[in-house]
Amino acid sequence: MGKLHIKKGDIVIVNTGVNKGQEGKVLEVFPAKDRAIVEGVNMVSKHTKPNAESPQGGIVKKEAPIHISNLNVKDPSTGKPTRIGRKLNDDGKLVRIAKKSGEEIK
């Protein structure tokens, strides 16, 4: 299990599948399963029983995890999907950079 190229808070674009081309913010990452939850992507219908939170119950739409191999980080300068590299900056700290533009990813 290596280091993941995606972090919580990144803006990502979906490469393949039903949600191809959609983009959203990463809400949560599961490194053990190599999956991430992306805002507004891979929506599923969850059937819920009535409880204190939702006294009515019913069908709730929520995001399901998507495999990280299907996600690419959005390049900050061009807005297109890019791969991630790591480079030492001026302070000697390892930072993530976009392979297409060479720009640092915050």
Side-chain angles (χ1 to χ4, degrees):
M1 188 171 81
K3 197 161 178 116
L4 301 181
H5 62 280
I6 288 172
K7 285 183 173 181
K8 181 178 176 180
D10 284 348
I11 304 297
V12 294
I13 299 173
V14 181
N15 289 337
T16 58
V18 178
N19 302 299
K20 182 177 180 175
Q22 288 184 1
E23 61 181 71
K25 188 176 181 181
V26 176
L27 302 175
E28 196 173 351
V29 179
F30 305 106
K33 296 180 179 177
D34 284 342
R35 292 182 171 270
I37 293 180
V38 182
E39 190 175 36
V41 175
N42 200 19
M43 300 297 283
V44 294
S45 299
K46 175 99 171 115
H47 296 256
T48 57
K49 281 182 152 184
N51 58 23
E53 278 185 21
S54 58
Q56 186 67 33
I59 301 169
V60 178
K61 290 272 192 187
K62 62 179 278 186
E63 292 100 353
I66 187 168
H67 200 271
I68 58 157
S69 67
N70 298 332
L71 302 173
N72 265 90
V73 177
K74 185 176 176 183
D75 195 323
S77 58
T78 62
K80 293 183 177 178
T82 183
R83 292 174 296 134
I84 297 296
R86 290 182 177 81
K87 204 177 214 178
L88 289 171
N89 66 359
D90 301 334
D91 305 332
K93 191 174 181 183
L94 198 64
V95 293
R96 298 183 309 154
I97 59 157
K99 288 272 192 178
K100 279 191 178 173
S101 65
E103 195 171 323
E104 185 180 329
I105 296 171
K106 303 285 187 249

